[in-house]
Amino acid sequence: MAIGLFILAVLIQLAVVLAIFLQSFSRITGSIVAIITVLVTAFISPWSLILGAPIALLCLVLLIAPIRKVLITKPVYKALGGAMPSMSDTEREALDAGTSWWEKELFMGNPDWKMFASYPYPQLSDEEQSFIDNEVEELCTMLDEWQIQHEDKELSPKAWQFIKDNGFLGLIIPKEYGGLAFTSYAQSRVMSKIASRSPTAAVSCMVPNSLGPGELLMHYGTEAQKKRWLPGLAIGKEIPCFGLTGPEAGSDAGAIPDTGVVCYGIHDGKEMLGLRMNFSKRWITLAPIATVVGLAFKMHDPEALLGDVNKTDYGITCALVPASHEGVIIGPRHYPSGSPFMNGTVDGTDVFIPLDYIIGGVENAGRGWRMLMECLGVGRGISLPALSTSAGGMSYLSVGAFAKVREQFKISVGKFEGVQDATSRIASQTYMLEAFRHLVTCGLNEGGTPSVMTAMAKYYATETMREIVNDGMDVVGGRAIQTGPRNFLAIPYQAIPVSITVEGANILTRSLMIFGQGAMRCHPYLFDELQLLQSDDKKGALKQFDKLFFKHLGYTFNRGAKAFVAGYMGGSNNAPLFADSFTRPYYKHINRLSASFALTADMALGLLAGDLKRKEMLSGRLADIHSHLFIASAILQFYQNGSKSKAERLHAEVALQHSLYTIQEAFVSFFANFPNRMAASVVSFVTFPSGRIFTPASDELKRKLGDTFMDDFEANPFRDYLKTMVYYNTEADDVTGRMEHAYQSLLEIEPLWQKFKKAEHKDSFEGLTFEDHVVYASQNGDVTEEEAEALINYNALRFDSLLTDVFDEHLQQAQERFNPHSLENAVHKLTDYAQLKNEAQVRNSTQINDQANDDASGDANPDHGYESDGDVEMVNEQNTAQEVKSQTKFNEAHPRAEAINHRSRDAETTLGDRMSYNHGQNKADAESQAAKAGAETNRIKKNAINKAKFQDGLRREEDDKV
């Protein structure tokens, strides 16, 4: 009885402590409740004080401020202050830059789904939709990326003028300055569609609308600067570039050696205060054609000419300088990964500029890094993800079409499970990219500058694009590796490294930026604590730290309690009101994993402190968890606003399972590599008490999605949706339209084609070529003339869509490809195989009885008359290839004479001839019947020729009309 009461008392104590953490009681309230519980349970069983006494003692320490500060607050403050590395102004500005959005909810472990449901789903306005349907569509028709990349090495003057005249460079500029003022979602859609036609044109339009003078002027420029530059930028009269990176500064842009020293100089014939600039910039997009150059540099005032004797080094500053300014040198072009978008160098030595060239004036001196960090969000969150989404969409369409049209081993290659392993990834990851794009632009449309979210978008969108295009290359195989104007995958494949590298190289972005900035921007207490730890006023800081630290502890224990309960109960049931039976379990998983992430992140920050900055592999795994929680949310939002069809659910299910499995494996790897093994084991047990709970998508799901990947229209609404996201066409001579045209043609005749191919594979038709088989089937009544024409027409399109390019010996000029299966050429593919075989069969049928009498003994052919099981057959009952072959007398063959005749090289024709002469009785009758058979075959061929000529005449008439 006593043992039972003891166990009951202890369980009550533990349950109350857990409830205190789950309910997030304040330090005072929680301590009082815990003390009362200890006293009550002591009456139930005095032995419960073994656990209760330490709990009560800790609560008393927490309640008595002087004791608390001496025993807990001061030691923690001192320990953390020593563990945290000093923070430069540049790092502080970077961490403090930007805002937070939905990613903060996921970081804090308690996502507010009601708020999530209230986010306005991105939609185009009528003006934006019209621009995409008209101006963007027309621009795309002007673009030929093969010609741009391999012949012109730049956009055509016509395309450039169209871009300028129609506001493509001023999408983000307010209408009051002549711009279009499009939303973030509209910008993304515009860039995606252009990129689906020409990455070169997309990059050329992308840069002025992302990180550059326009964006910086809008947010930080003086009114005079806005009036001076924005109207020209909006209409393309001014072409901008921005110089940040250089030979000595890439990812570590804060280390730029470029300088601007305050001094007096001459400008426009007047002496004035300004900056003596020295800079050397590299890899600057649009630099070779820019008319205005944005420059990032370190500003110094050694003589205190600005009036502040205590401030000589201002830090990174941004200025806007005309490209024609004296001393500015626009250098030669770079050639980034074979992509010919304008990219080059900007240099200057002792270039004097007025102070009012500083963006925002002297007041913004030294604020350049913060300005850049806040404005980087556009490029990271819109432009690069738009390019990635476009590549995914085009890969989905083109590879899906290829997988259905291309046949090997008598079936479409997309039916092979090995291929479906890749195509299911293409399908689900393209779906993820579209979902990701929508949620990110939704956040940007809200008006903030969420730097963590946009860093996620940049990294995971570009990396997913790399995986999709690589899978596409594997599926398409030889058709994809032969470079030329017919290749629809090589150019996106070649351009991948550019997206991976620019605007924060991907390795840096994942290992440092996402979690590093995420911890600062998304954690409710960490950034403020860090500020207090580095404060010069230690006494005042300690007082504030005492309050903040215990709030932080309460937050950590709350998330730990949530994670513990979720580990056993499966997570909170909180979900948006629109959740259904399919999505609700995923919201539950996200709740659980979000709480687990909050606890794990706090453990890492608390135990590693500043060392976490150097533990980049651990930081990268935390970035994977945080980002895929965001991605899973995006997929659920996108599904909710989609068709909710069975096909779309397949896409969403595989994509969600991938994200959840990725999160789980990141947790497992993090715990396995965390330096403090005890802490890792405890948190691992709390978060995953039963071990791994998620698995990758099953083979069955992949097979279903692989099949759906090749469907269109009602069977796969997502494919239909993608056509509206890119430049879609079905032109038979277009780089992307060619495969789509063949695919759509196949869908129109698929039942007929499958039926015909099955019969063909069963040797139901006579002849050597496809055209022979079609003519035979037509004459035999198996297909109508219209069906025969449809089969020949599709076969020609199919063959042409699979052709790769050939060049002259110097690889200078792509050659025109000849299609032997086209309707006008199909007649030349007809052979006399059926005629020869018919003649042989007629001769054999009139001679077979006499031959049987001559060879009744069977001595010349020991196998004559026998099957493998030993049963005897009469000669006239033998009709298999092996049986017929056994009748042949090879000693009467004339191989030299037959070799001269090209038709005799065909094995079956030779065999027929030999059989006719070896059994040569009644030759006259045989030849007579053979002549009749030959006349019939000639009549069939003549009909086919006349038909082809007639159709060719119709086409010529149509061409004349055009």
Side-chain angles (χ1 to χ4, degrees), residues 58 61-62 67-84 526 529-530 532-534 538 541-553 556-557 602 605-607 609-610:
L58 177 61
V61 170
L62 294 175
I67 299 176
R68 181 181 71 248
K69 290 180 180 179
V70 171
L71 295 180
I72 300 177
T73 306
K74 285 184 179 180
V76 170
Y77 183 83
K78 185 177 180 180
L80 291 177
M84 289 293 180
L526 186 61
E529 288 173 330
L530 192 59
L532 292 173
L533 289 171
Q534 298 191 351
K538 299 299 181 183
L542 183 63
K543 184 177 180 180
Q544 296 180 57
F545 183 80
D546 180 60
K547 296 179 180 178
L548 205 59
F549 176 68
F550 286 100
K551 286 183 178 180
H552 187 162
L553 278 182
T556 302
F557 284 121
D602 256 19
L605 292 165
L607 296 180

Side-chain angles (χ1 to χ4, degrees), residues 472-777:
M473 292 290 288
D474 289 348
V475 173
V476 181
R479 176 71 171 83
I481 64 172
Q482 297 298 336
T483 301
R486 287 172 168 265
N487 195 316
F488 51 82
L489 271 179
I491 286 175
Y493 180 81
Q494 181 180 318
I496 287 172
V498 177
S499 296
I500 297 293
T501 303
V502 301
E503 300 204 22
N506 276 11
I507 290 177
L508 168 76
T509 301
R510 174 178 177 267
S511 60
L512 285 176
M513 292 181 60
I514 294 175
F515 183 74
Q517 284 193 322
M520 294 296 117
R521 299 307 311 159
C522 299
H523 197 288
Y525 307 110
L526 186 61
F527 184 75
D528 292 334
E529 288 173 330
L530 192 59
Q531 298 288 81
L532 292 173
L533 289 171
Q534 298 191 351
S535 172
D536 295 330
D537 180 12
K538 299 299 181 183
K539 186 176 180 180
L542 183 63
K543 184 177 180 180
Q544 296 180 57
F545 183 80
D546 180 60
K547 296 179 180 178
L548 205 59
F549 176 68
F550 286 100
K551 286 183 178 180
H552 187 162
L553 278 182
Y555 162 84
T556 302
F557 284 121
N558 173 260
R559 286 353 182 224
K562 286 180 179 292
F564 178 76
V565 172
Y568 288 95
M569 305 297 292
S572 165
N573 286 316
N574 290 337
L577 293 176
F578 55 67
D580 58 23
S581 59
F582 168 65
T583 59
R584 189 171 297 280
Y586 291 104
Y587 287 110
K588 192 171 184 178
H589 291 319
I590 292 173
N591 290 332
R592 172 182 177 174
L593 294 171
S594 177
S596 299
F597 173 65
L599 175 64
T600 305
D602 256 19
M603 174 192 73
L605 292 165
L607 296 180
L608 296 180
D611 286 342
L612 186 57
K613 183 178 179 180
R614 291 177 287 275
K615 298 290 185 181
E616 295 178 16
M617 294 183 191
L618 293 179
S619 178
R621 294 182 183 108
L622 293 172
D624 288 341
I625 297 169
H626 192 191
S627 300
H628 274 280
L629 285 170
F630 189 93
I631 288 169
S633 303
I635 295 168
L636 291 169
Q637 184 203 53
F638 189 66
Y639 174 81
Q640 172 62 31
N641 289 276
S643 67
K644 294 187 180 179
S645 62
K646 182 179 179 181
E648 185 168 354
R649 178 176 294 190
L650 267 177
H651 288 78
E653 188 171 3
V654 175
L656 285 164
Q657 289 192 17
H658 171 74
S659 283
L660 296 180
Y661 182 74
T662 300
I663 292 170
Q664 171 185 270
E665 295 307 296
F667 269 119
V668 172
S669 296
F670 179 88
F671 295 138
N673 291 278
F674 194 73
N676 189 319
R677 302 305 309 139
M678 181 179 292
S681 298
V682 170
V683 176
S684 175
F685 173 74
V686 169
T687 53
F688 289 91
S690 60
R692 288 178 166 90
I693 57 174
F694 301 112
T695 59
S698 67
D699 291 352
E700 179 64 21
L701 266 181
K702 290 180 180 179
R703 283 193 294 268
K704 289 180 179 178
L705 185 53
D707 287 338
T708 302
F709 179 67
M710 296 184 290
D711 290 335
D712 203 356
F713 307 116
E714 296 84 359
N716 185 5
F718 182 62
R719 190 180 199 277
D720 243 11
Y721 164 86
L722 287 176
K723 298 173 190 175
T724 67
M725 297 291 110
V726 298
Y727 178 72
Y728 176 80
N729 77 97
T730 57
E731 299 296 327
D733 60 349
D734 183 81
V735 59
T736 56
R738 179 179 288 109
M739 183 59 70
E740 186 67 13
H741 184 52
Y743 170 77
Q744 294 296 339
S745 298
L746 172 58
L747 294 183
E748 291 177 5
I749 67 161
E750 187 170 14
L752 171 64
W753 177 257
Q754 295 300 337
K755 179 182 176 182
F756 183 83
K757 294 299 287 184
K758 286 179 181 178
E760 190 178 43
H761 295 323
K762 292 178 181 179
D763 295 325
S764 300
F765 311 127
E766 298 290 358
L768 297 178
T769 66
F770 176 84
E771 286 76 8
D772 281 346
H773 297 166
V774 173
V775 170
Y776 182 95

Side-chain angles (χ1 to χ4, degrees), residues 364-541:
N364 274 345
R367 296 190 61 212
W369 190 241
R370 184 186 182 95
M371 292 158 57
L372 292 171
M373 290 300 99
E374 290 180 344
C375 290
L376 268 173
V378 180
R380 289 177 179 164
I382 299 177
S383 301
L384 292 170
L387 266 62
S388 302
T389 305
S390 171
M394 290 305 296
S395 297
Y396 189 111
L397 294 171
S398 298
V399 176
F402 175 89
K404 190 172 186 70
V405 170
R406 176 66 162 147
E407 296 181 2
Q408 292 285 272
F409 306 104
K410 304 179 182 179
I411 60 173
S412 295
V413 297
K415 285 288 187 180
F416 291 97
E417 283 196 11
V419 173
Q420 288 178 335
D421 192 31
T423 57
S424 63
R425 284 195 299 269
I426 295 173
S428 61
Q429 293 306 294
T430 300
Y431 189 86
M432 182 278 278
L433 283 176
E434 279 292 341
F436 203 10
R437 180 241 292 272
H438 276 76
L439 188 56
V440 170
T441 54
C442 176
L444 292 171
N445 281 349
E446 297 283 279
T449 55
S451 55
V452 178
M453 180 187 74
T454 54
M456 291 177 179
K458 193 275 175 180
Y459 175 81
Y460 292 93
T462 55
E463 286 295 336
T464 302
M465 170 188 66
R466 170 152 57 182
E467 295 171 7
I468 289 173
V469 175
N470 278 338
D471 277 331
M473 292 290 288
D474 289 348
V475 173
V476 181
R479 176 71 171 83
I481 64 172
Q482 297 298 336
T483 301
R486 287 172 168 265
N487 195 316
F488 51 82
L489 271 179
I491 286 175
Y493 180 81
Q494 181 180 318
I496 287 172
V498 177
S499 296
I500 297 293
T501 303
V502 301
E503 300 204 22
N506 276 11
I507 290 177
L508 168 76
T509 301
R510 174 178 177 267
S511 60
L512 285 176
M513 292 181 60
I514 294 175
F515 183 74
Q517 284 193 322
M520 294 296 117
R521 299 307 311 159
C522 299
H523 197 288
Y525 307 110
L526 186 61
F527 184 75
D528 292 334
E529 288 173 330
L530 192 59
Q531 298 288 81
L532 292 173
L533 289 171
Q534 298 191 351
S535 172
D536 295 330
D537 180 12
K538 299 299 181 183
K539 186 176 180 180

Side-chain angles (χ1 to χ4, degrees), residues 824 951-962:
E824 58 270 21
Q951 290 163 341
D952 184 61
L954 288 177
R955 275 192 297 273
R956 292 177 183 275
E957 289 179 11
E958 290 297 323
D959 290 342
D960 291 339
K961 291 178 181 178
V962 173

